Amino acid sequence: MRKKIILTILVGSVLTFFIYKIFYHEDMNIMTLGDGVGTGLTAYNVKGYSYNDYLKDYYEKNSILKEYITEFSNAEETTETLILKLQNNYTLESTGLSITQAISKAKILTVSIGMNELSHKMEIETKEIETYINNIEKIFKLLRIYNKKEIFLTSLYETSFLNNTKVTEINNRLKQLCDTYQVHYIDITDILKNKEYIFNNTSFYFNYRGHRYISEEILKHL
């Protein structure tokens, strides 16, 4: 009799566990950091629908989105300005929310940064690349102080100012940093090869189809 009771309790516990795993969904907080790629800036310098918005839609549709925080992103953001925000614990005047508070509660944190600062002239010097890579590592270190969950970094990609050789060199080093700090590296180097993703050839910003593609690449890791 006692064995039957114990067995019943064990079976009940196992069933409860699996039901919990199947039906329980943790509230999702999404936070974005970075430049115009993450904000959805278009070729016409207006904000469009970004890959982050598609991520938000996905979790909203599944009724598990709690917060979607985009206010710390800026189309003109550079690695240096982001580091300053993190070091000084930049706080939103409208809500009083600090950047470290937002980072600490994010379940998904996306970072797209570098295209704005590295695509401003025809020839990028080695010193600029080293500064960028060192800054990315500083950013990762600071982010990992406050967040141990899912962080995603989108790769750089080729433009008229950022040639394939430079992109490959930089991205290889970004991959290494991502491995070191357990950050998901999202490779979007081929995005400009698909004409359906491009607004026009005068800008390296892409359209909503390109952003939807990036969101799908991120969701593969989730």
Side-chain angles (χ1 to χ4, degrees), residues 140-157:
F140 283 177
K141 285 181 178 179
L142 290 166
L143 293 180
R144 280 307 187 200
I145 291 173
Y146 305 104
N147 189 297
K148 306 299 181 184
K149 297 184 175 68
E150 307 289 349
I151 299 178
F152 295 84
L153 176 76
T154 56
S155 72
L156 302 189
Y157 50 93

Side-chain angles (χ1 to χ4, degrees), residues 29 31 33 82-83 86-87 99-111 135-153 174-185 221-222:
N29 293 324
M31 181 183 180
L33 291 173
L82 180 53
I83 287 171
L86 294 167
Q87 290 176 335
I99 192 168
T100 56
Q101 287 175 319
I103 291 169
S104 66
K105 62 181 180 178
K107 300 296 191 302
I108 294 177
L109 176 58
T110 67
V111 183
N135 285 346
I136 289 292
E137 182 162 23
K138 288 178 184 177
I139 289 168
F140 283 177
K141 285 181 178 179
L142 290 166
L143 293 180
R144 280 307 187 200
I145 291 173
Y146 305 104
N147 189 297
K148 306 299 181 184
K149 297 184 175 68
E150 307 289 349
I151 299 178
F152 295 84
L153 176 76
L174 290 179
K175 288 178 190 177
Q176 293 173 356
L177 287 177
C178 285
D179 288 341
T180 300
Y181 292 94
Q182 296 183 308
V183 170
H184 296 286
Y185 173 80
H221 293 264
L222 295 167

Side-chain angles (χ1 to χ4, degrees), residues 42 49 131 147 176:
T42 71
Y49 218 70
T131 298
N147 189 297
Q176 293 173 356

Side-chain angles (χ1 to χ4, degrees), residues 5-21:
I5 293 173
I6 293 173
L7 181 61
T8 300
I9 292 172
L10 288 173
V11 171
S13 298
V14 171
L15 286 173
T16 300
F17 172 78
F18 280 108
I19 290 172
Y20 174 83
K21 294 294 285 184

